[in-house]
Amino acid sequence: MKNLFLSALAMCLCICTYAEDEKTDTIEAQTLAEVTIAAPKVIRKADMDVYYPSVSAVENSKNGLQIISNLRIPQLLVNELQNKITSVGKDVQVRINGRVATIEEVQALMPETIKRVEWIDNPGLRYEGANAVLNVIVRNPEVGGSLMLDATQSVHSGWGTYLAGLNLNFGRSQFSIMGNGKLIADFNTSRDYYETITFPDGKSLTRKETPVDGKLDGSSVTGRLGYSYIKPDTTVVYVQFGSHCKVKSYSRFNGKMSLSDGSDDIFLTNIQDGKGYTPALSFYLEQYFAHKQMIIFNLSASFYTGHTSSGYLEQDINNNILNDINTYIKDRNQAYGIKANYIKNWDKSRLTIGGSFTAKRNRSTYVDLDNSVFHQRQNMTYFFGEYFQRVKYVTLTAGIGADYSILNFRKQEKEMTRGTYLHILPPLTSRTASHSSDLISPLGKILPI
């Protein structure tokens, strides 16, 4: 009887324990359900996957970058700490309503304004070699506005990212102002490398650098003013003026270099420094027409002015200078671009025809070379055509693209500032044009024009 009583008591204890465990599991499941984000609606098209954010994904996102992360797009990795979007280890081209945008612009989007996200993992010729494209389709609220502030600051080092954005809405129009900054201050860095030099007589020398100490500083600020008019799937207009300022870019490395031939160690210092300012203007138009036709037009211009300097110093153990190389360059760069695309869609096919022209101008003044000035000009024209066809479960794409580039590089001597010269040669000699006034051929003469 005693044994029967003990057995019954043990069974009761087991049942109570099981009931308590079952109750705990139920509570945990309910807690997890409250933060679970429902899967987005996905439409698989022949040339892209279209994701429609769920209500829970919108409610649990504070900005545009978080909602993209909550979509859980395969092969897409969103790093919110570094503000990067990659796919299979490569950068993803980000667009908003078809125009190329920055990660900061995507981050400043309100989750409620995102209608859908287009994921293109096999872009065609239209995207000019992009590894993958993420196109965020948004709408402008008719009234009201929004203010976004975001900051990430390390408590252990001088590193941080900062973002502020203000949007004001009037009907289909939106005025926006945004600023973001990045801080890198007083970072301790190091580097090590080795190199082997082979001489003509077959002998070789290996130089191996061991780090001693180093420092890295880098800060930048970007501001943007924009206006957009969005009538979804009909008209998109966007105008933006922005400016990027590289406040400081400084690095210094100190190292000790050992030589394979047994010579004394060499102590080296390598310093890089630079500052720059880049204002830019862009205009984007996307217009839909009847019969599934669309025209896209994009115009951009930017101007850069700044300077870079570098110094490389090698000393022996007695502080005797072995090598001392210094460079100081002032740059003035200009870039202009125009792009146009025509797209015609059918039920299961698409035709895209487009072209672009890009002009770049560079003027570099080498202060350490007696203020010598170097000019570089580059013009590039690009045309392409692409046809896309879907046949049941197979997609076929055929396209052709061609580009034509002209690159011109010249050095501007001091004598050239007084005019242009033509070199005239007598008959039966090679025709050679010269732009240097101090070069006089014994067979001819130089005349100013």
Side-chain angles (χ1 to χ4, degrees):
M1 186 68 181
K2 182 179 180 180
N3 293 335
L4 182 62
F5 176 75
L6 293 175
S7 299
L9 179 61
M11 291 181 61
C12 291
L13 291 175
C14 291
I15 293 174
C16 293
T17 303
Y18 176 78
E20 183 68 20
D21 291 342
E22 188 176 38
K23 181 180 179 182
T24 303
D25 291 342
T26 303
I27 294 175
E28 290 180 353
Q30 291 176 352
T31 302
L32 291 175
E34 292 178 358
V35 297
T36 299
I37 298 176
K41 177 183 177 182
V42 184
I43 298 179
R44 310 289 183 183
K45 294 188 176 182
D47 56 343
M48 68 176 67
D49 292 337
V50 183
Y51 289 78
Y52 291 87
S54 62
V55 176
S56 59
V58 174
E59 292 177 348
N60 290 277
S61 301
K62 298 179 181 179
N63 54 54
L65 201 59
Q66 287 186 0
I67 197 171
I68 292 176
S69 178
N70 289 334
L71 290 178
R72 299 292 188 265
I73 300 176
Q75 299 182 347
L76 189 69
L77 178 62
V78 180
N79 190 326
E80 296 183 39
L81 182 62
Q82 297 182 352
N83 287 346
K84 292 186 64 176
I85 299 179
T86 58
S87 175
V88 198
K90 298 182 179 180
D91 291 336
V92 173
Q93 185 183 99
V94 179
R95 293 175 174 246
I96 298 177
N97 287 336
R99 67 175 181 87
V100 178
T102 64
I103 298 295
E104 290 77 17
E105 290 179 276
V106 175
Q107 185 181 12
L109 294 175
M110 293 179 58
E112 296 81 4
T113 64
I114 298 178
K115 292 184 57 180
R116 63 182 185 270
V117 176
E118 300 173 350
W119 168 242
I120 308 171
D121 60 356
N122 187 22
L125 297 176
R126 171 188 168 188
Y127 301 101
E128 300 181 3
N131 172 62
V133 177
L134 188 73
N135 187 23
V136 184
I137 306 299
V138 302
R139 59 176 178 83
N140 286 339
E142 294 185 358
V143 293
S146 63
L147 173 65
M148 174 175 289
L149 299 174
D150 184 272
T152 303
Q153 177 62 52
S154 171
V155 296
H156 301 290
S157 60
W159 179 90
T161 59
Y162 319 96
L163 174 67
L166 174 65
N167 297 323
L168 300 175
N169 305 291
F170 303 93
R172 294 192 175 99
S173 297
Q174 182 181 87
F175 295 89
S176 62
I177 178 172
M178 188 179 70
N180 62 277
K182 185 175 183 180
L183 171 67
I184 300 177
D186 203 21
F187 263 55
N188 294 323
T189 60
S190 63
R191 72 175 189 183
D192 58 323
Y193 75 93
Y194 72 92
E195 61 183 3
T196 300
I197 304 172
T198 303
F199 299 97
D201 59 1
K203 297 181 180 181
S204 63
L205 176 67
T206 300
R207 293 156 48 105
K208 182 178 180 180
E209 178 185 342
T210 303
V212 176
D213 59 35
K215 181 180 179 181
L216 178 65
D217 290 320
S219 300
S220 61
V221 178
T222 302
R224 299 181 182 91
L225 294 173
Y227 166 80
S228 63
Y229 173 88
I230 300 177
K231 187 177 181 181
D233 301 321
T234 303
T235 303
V236 175
V237 178
Y238 189 81
V239 182
Q240 176 181 273
F241 173 77
S243 178
H244 175 76
C245 180
K246 184 168 62 175
V247 180
K248 188 175 185 180
S249 177
Y250 175 84
S251 64
R252 187 195 73 240
F253 297 98
N254 294 321
K256 182 176 68 173
M257 183 175 294
S258 59
L259 308 179
S260 61
D261 61 359
S263 303
D264 293 336
D265 291 340
I266 298 175
F267 298 89
L268 60 88
T269 300
N270 191 357
I271 298 177
Q272 305 284 337
D273 192 10
K275 292 182 180 180
Y277 172 72
T278 309
L281 179 66
S282 63
F283 171 80
Y284 180 86
L285 170 65
E286 183 177 301
Q287 180 64 53
Y288 291 78
F289 297 95
H291 309 294
K292 298 181 179 180
Q293 300 180 89
M294 179 172 60
I295 290 179
I296 300 174
F297 180 77
N298 192 10
L299 179 67
S300 62
S302 65
F303 177 80
Y304 168 81
T305 178
H307 74 269
T308 57
S309 63
S310 63
Y312 182 81
L313 176 66
E314 289 185 356
Q315 295 175 293
D316 61 15
I317 194 172
N318 297 318
N319 294 328
N320 295 318
I321 296 178
L322 304 178
N323 286 302
D324 188 6
I325 303 173
N326 294 280
T327 304
Y328 188 90
I329 305 173
K330 296 180 180 179
D331 285 311
R332 293 176 57 189
N333 302 338
Q334 304 174 49
Y336 310 95
I338 181 173
K339 298 180 182 179
N341 294 326
Y342 167 79
I343 302 175
K344 166 63 178 176
N345 287 284
W346 292 274
D347 292 338
K348 297 182 179 181
S349 59
R350 182 186 67 243
L351 173 66
T352 306
I353 300 174
S356 64
F357 174 77
T358 304
K360 298 180 180 180
R361 303 291 183 264
N362 170 258
R363 183 182 187 273
S364 299
T365 303
Y366 287 73
V367 179
D368 297 90
L369 297 178
D370 196 21
N371 287 321
S372 298
V373 179
F374 293 83
H375 295 271
Q376 182 174 324
R377 295 188 176 189
Q378 182 180 12
N379 296 333
M380 187 179 74
T381 305
Y382 175 70
F383 293 101
F384 76 93
E386 185 178 46
Y387 181 77
F388 173 87
Q389 178 70 53
R390 181 177 181 180
V391 181
K392 291 185 177 180
Y393 303 105
V394 179
T395 59
L396 304 175
T397 302
I400 184 172
D403 64 81
Y404 177 72
S405 300
I406 299 177
L407 179 63
N408 180 277
F409 179 82
R410 67 185 178 91
K411 177 182 179 182
Q412 177 177 310
E413 300 289 356
K414 293 182 178 180
E415 291 81 359
M416 291 179 57
T417 60
R418 295 197 300 265
T420 305
Y421 295 85
L422 176 66
H423 191 184
I424 302 177
L425 294 174
L428 303 179
T429 60
S430 60
R431 301 289 181 176
T432 303
S434 175
H435 294 281
S436 178
S437 61
D438 57 356
L439 176 62
I440 301 179
S441 170
L443 299 177
K445 57 183 179 179
I446 297 178
L447 299 177
I449 59 174

